[in-house]
Amino acid sequence: MLRYCSSGSDSKLSRKPSQLTHLARRESEPGAGPKARDKALRLHGTIARKLGISIVSGRFKPGDLLNGEIASSEQFAVSRTAYREAVRILAAKGLVDARPKVGTRINAQSEWNLLDPDVLDWTFESEPDLQLLNSLFELRNVVESAAAGMAAKRRSAAHLKAMRAALDGMATHTLATEAGRQADLDFHTTLLTATHNPFIISLTNGVNAAIRTTTIFKQRERPLRRDPLPDHMRVFEAITAGEVGKAERAMSELIELARIDTPASKRRPRKRGR
Amino acid sequence: MLRYCSSGSDSKLSRKPSQLTHLARRESEPGAGPKARDKALRLHGTIARKLGISIVSGRFKPGDLLNGEIASSEQFAVSRTAYREAVRILAAKGLVDARPKVGTRINAQSEWNLLDPDVLDWTFESEPDLQLLNSLFELRNVVESAAAGMAAKRRSAAHLKAMRAALDGMATHTLATEAGRQADLDFHTTLLTATHNPFIISLTNGVNAAIRTTTIFKQRERPLRRDPLPDHMRVFEAITAGEVGKAERAMSELIELARIDTPASKRRPRKRGR
DNA sequence: TCATAAAATAACTCAGACAATATTTCAGCA
DNA sequence: TGCTGAAATATTGTCTGAGTTATTTTATGA
């Protein structure tokens, strides 16, 4: 019996939300971790996030109808305005479809913008499903390997210089430090820039961000198995030499290494039976 | 349809239809304005589209501030509510960033969700920029070729059957008819389904839709150069035989053919200077 | 039976007020 | 002077309650 009603919640006022008390805020988090996730979400943003997680996690299923605006806004203890803006966000990402007289219906998964950064974030927020994570690495492998090949053809001297600097940064600081991770990110960002393909840049940026947070999140449990620096060096050398195939293969190895080091997906999914 | 939560709140208070005051009616445009491609876009959708096109087309540049909500809503002759929901859509797609006291700022292109179906649509709405279109075909080539390879490994008998049926449809009706184009779409959709990778499905669906409309739009100017059916057959045969590399190469050829047949990009852009 | 019109319902739009949030300004003090 | 912190300010954010529109369902008539 799923219900996202606030029945058990600490709603002070039963009805008449005239001056609603400040809802639970999610600022705190004084951790020294990356503030990337700290975006100062507003009311509509938090509700979109809640609903979005409920949808991508499967708690709400495609074809289901959300409750009406009045009912839903009351459940969340917000105004219809805020709730509607939240729904608007979800509709913009293809998760739902709102129509007069019909209601707000959850779309089929094929309609979702799965590669939207927020949707990716919500997807891997709760349960980093193993199957799904491997699918994401599969796509990343395809796209980023090709990107390395393009970079080998199209990189400029400035690109090479920036990548070398990033590798130096990775060497001095390790990946355990924030500075080291920043250098890693710089390397990949520069490589993508060298492709001169805005779509590949947009796609890979979002995907890597999602994977990175997933990785960081679980990182404490155990250290990296292998030093990723040599693999990065191989990619860099191939790009410097302008060897397309070599760059592609080196990047593919690098990503496969990253996949193996991502805790949630230890085993290779070779049981892809039909 | 199951509903979340109790449906107890059926507050049917008396809604007395008091005398109707005629509000300010927005100008009823005699069919000339926005129409055609949208399926019953509402007001906020229409404005989001207008603004979105202004942004992706470069009329509004990154870093610029949009006018304030009151000014903008007056400019569009809509309420602040509708305008705000439009901005919310754009923000959900990464095009803008709205913050109190600062205003609504247009993000850098690297922040945009370029692969969002709507953003793609808006991008190729006005001016199918040659460079950009080739970048999109480049991505499509990478991803969909790999998808064909995956399909060769993972397809089921049902997939093969559906693809064969689609090919038959393409043969009987030509691509000049709607039924033929539907069969073409079915073929590609089935192929993607066979990859079992939701991200690749989501990505390619959106990209192909954008390319398709661009192609269809310009189609009248001249007929196709070459019959695409043989190329499709080669892809199908390779997938049937389970030959990964062959399927990848065949799909790559197919996409290259499509690129060449897309009017906006006649010549190969080989001057990709660094 | 089918086409057409009326009713019902949900999202949609409107208007105006107030609140929250950053930026900017400026007073107070070392 | 130069710095710190509080207040003014401008903009988005949220709330309320009403009326409007689109779409489905039902009723009606030929």
Side-chain angles (χ1 to χ4, degrees):
Chain A
M1 186 55 61
L2 55 97
R3 52 171 51 200
Y4 61 85
C5 309
S6 62
S7 54
S9 157
D10 51 12
S11 62
K12 322 294 195 299
L13 226 34
S14 58
R15 205 75 306 281
K16 185 65 166 58
S18 56
Q19 292 292 25
L20 54 98
T21 63
H22 288 63
L23 320 183
R25 305 196 55 82
R26 42 195 279 0
E27 46 182 342
S28 47
E29 304 305 318
K35 75 242 180 107
R37 132 176 284 50
D38 176 40
K39 204 84 180 227
L41 247 352
R42 251 67 93 195
L43 214 39
H44 53 258
T46 63
I47 290 178
R49 177 184 177 83
K50 284 182 187 175
L51 280 175
I53 289 177
S54 294
I55 292 174
V56 301
S57 72
R59 282 212 4 252
F60 298 171
K61 295 196 184 62
D64 289 355
L65 281 175
L66 262 50
N67 287 333
E69 290 179 346
I70 38 292
S72 292
S73 55
E74 284 175 4
Q75 284 162 18
F76 284 109
V78 299
S79 72
R80 270 183 62 227
T81 307
Y83 174 77
R84 276 185 54 81
E85 292 190 4
V87 169
R88 199 57 55 222
I89 293 173
L90 298 180
K93 297 176 185 307
L95 295 186
V96 303
D97 186 28
R99 328 179 60 173
K101 170 68 181 179
V102 177
T104 303
R105 188 182 302 280
I106 299 183
N107 282 334
Q109 198 199 30
S110 57
E111 300 288 321
W112 301 355
N113 300 169
L114 288 179
L115 292 163
D116 179 285
D118 288 326
V119 176
L120 275 177
D121 187 27
W122 301 339
T123 299
F124 293 105
E125 173 78 3
S126 46
E127 27 144 11
D129 180 273
L130 184 137
Q131 177 94 358
L132 214 52
L133 192 55
N134 277 312
S135 290
L136 191 54
F137 268 105
E138 189 171 62
L139 172 64
R140 189 189 170 196
N141 197 331
V142 166
V143 174
E144 212 155 347
S145 296
M150 296 175 201
K153 276 187 295 189
R154 304 171 187 169
R155 82 287 183 281
S156 71
H159 293 138
L160 293 178
K161 184 180 170 191
M163 284 195 277
R164 173 164 289 289
L167 287 181
D168 288 347
M170 287 179 66
T172 56
H173 326 84
T174 88
L175 267 199
T177 74
E178 180 53 36
R181 284 193 291 268
Q182 182 60 44
D184 179 39
L185 195 144
D186 288 344
F187 178 82
H188 288 278
T189 300
T190 306
L191 188 151
L192 289 174
T193 306
T195 67
H196 289 94
N197 188 319
F199 298 105
I200 289 181
I201 294 173
S202 173
L203 168 61
T204 311
N205 271 340
V207 171
N208 285 2
I211 288 180
R212 205 170 301 269
T213 62
T214 304
T215 307
I216 297 293
F217 178 45
K218 298 271 188 177
Q219 198 69 288
R220 304 169 190 145
E221 301 180 0
R222 56 180 179 188
L224 285 174
R225 277 193 220 293
R226 203 167 114 191
D227 181 17
L229 191 56
D231 297 87
H232 280 76
M233 286 301 295
R234 270 195 289 280
V235 173
F236 174 69
E237 286 161 8
I239 290 177
T240 304
E243 303 192 59
V244 175
K246 210 171 185 177
E248 290 175 351
R249 286 191 298 276
M251 179 59 87
S252 186
E253 284 176 27
L254 177 55
I255 293 174
E256 176 62 11
L257 168 68
R259 191 183 71 81
I260 292 175
D261 263 330
T262 300
S265 61
K266 325 186 214 296
R267 291 168 297 102
R268 305 186 60 123
R270 208 72 308 243
K271 42 82 180 176
R272 167 65 78 185
R274 63 203 46 164
Chain B
M1 281 317 159
L2 61 109
R3 300 190 152 232
Y4 321 111
C5 255
S6 60
S7 60
S9 65
D10 195 0
S11 63
K12 248 325 70 167
L13 287 186
S14 64
R15 284 186 58 195
K16 60 178 184 220
S18 57
Q19 80 280 15
L20 52 130
T21 70
H22 21 316
L23 327 180
R25 314 182 41 76
R26 58 179 179 282
E27 309 314 316
S28 59
E29 291 155 73
K35 57 165 174 64
R37 72 182 316 73
D38 47 39
K39 36 185 173 184
L41 238 354
R42 255 68 92 200
L43 214 38
H44 53 259
T46 314
I47 292 178
R49 177 187 177 81
K50 284 182 186 174
L51 280 175
I53 289 178
S54 293
I55 292 173
V56 300
S57 72
R59 281 209 8 250
F60 297 169
K61 295 196 186 65
D64 288 355
L65 281 175
L66 262 50
N67 289 333
E69 291 179 345
I70 40 289
S72 293
S73 55
E74 285 175 5
Q75 189 177 327
F76 284 108
V78 300
S79 75
R80 217 175 130 225
T81 307
Y83 174 77
R84 274 183 56 80
E85 291 190 6
V87 169
R88 202 54 58 221
I89 293 173
L90 298 180
K93 297 175 186 306
L95 295 186
V96 303
D97 187 28
R99 334 184 60 170
K101 171 66 183 178
V102 176
T104 302
R105 172 165 279 118
I106 299 183
N107 282 335
Q109 198 198 31
S110 58
E111 300 289 321
W112 302 355
N113 300 170
L114 288 180
L115 292 163
D116 179 284
D118 288 325
V119 176
L120 275 177
D121 187 28
W122 301 338
T123 299
F124 293 106
E125 172 76 2
S126 45
E127 27 143 13
D129 181 273
L130 184 136
Q131 177 94 357
L132 214 53
L133 192 56
N134 277 311
S135 290
L136 191 54
F137 268 105
E138 189 171 62
L139 173 63
R140 191 190 169 195
N141 196 331
V142 167
V143 174
E144 213 156 347
S145 297
M150 296 174 201
K153 276 186 296 191
R154 304 172 187 169
R155 84 286 184 282
S156 71
H159 293 138
L160 293 178
K161 183 181 172 190
M163 284 195 276
R164 172 165 289 288
L167 287 180
D168 288 347
M170 287 179 65
T172 56
H173 327 84
T174 87
L175 267 198
T177 74
E178 181 53 37
R181 285 193 290 269
Q182 182 59 45
D184 178 39
L185 195 143
D186 287 344
F187 178 82
H188 287 278
T189 301
T190 306
L191 188 151
L192 288 175
T193 306
T195 67
H196 290 95
N197 187 320
F199 298 105
I200 289 181
I201 294 172
S202 172
L203 168 62
T204 311
N205 271 339
V207 171
N208 286 1
I211 287 180
R212 206 169 301 269
T213 63
T214 303
T215 307
I216 297 291
F217 179 45
K218 297 271 189 178
Q219 200 67 290
R220 305 167 191 147
E221 300 180 3
R222 56 180 179 187
L224 285 174
R225 278 192 219 294
R226 204 168 113 191
D227 180 19
L229 191 56
D231 296 87
H232 280 77
M233 286 300 295
R234 269 195 289 280
V235 173
F236 175 68
E237 286 160 7
I239 290 178
T240 304
E243 303 191 57
V244 175
K246 210 171 185 178
E248 290 175 349
R249 285 190 298 277
M251 178 59 87
S252 186
E253 283 175 30
L254 176 56
I255 292 173
E256 177 62 9
L257 169 68
R259 191 182 71 81
I260 291 174
D261 263 330
T262 299
S265 61
K266 324 186 214 296
R267 289 168 298 102
R268 305 186 61 122
R270 208 73 309 240
K271 44 85 181 178
R272 169 68 81 180
R274 65 222 23 205

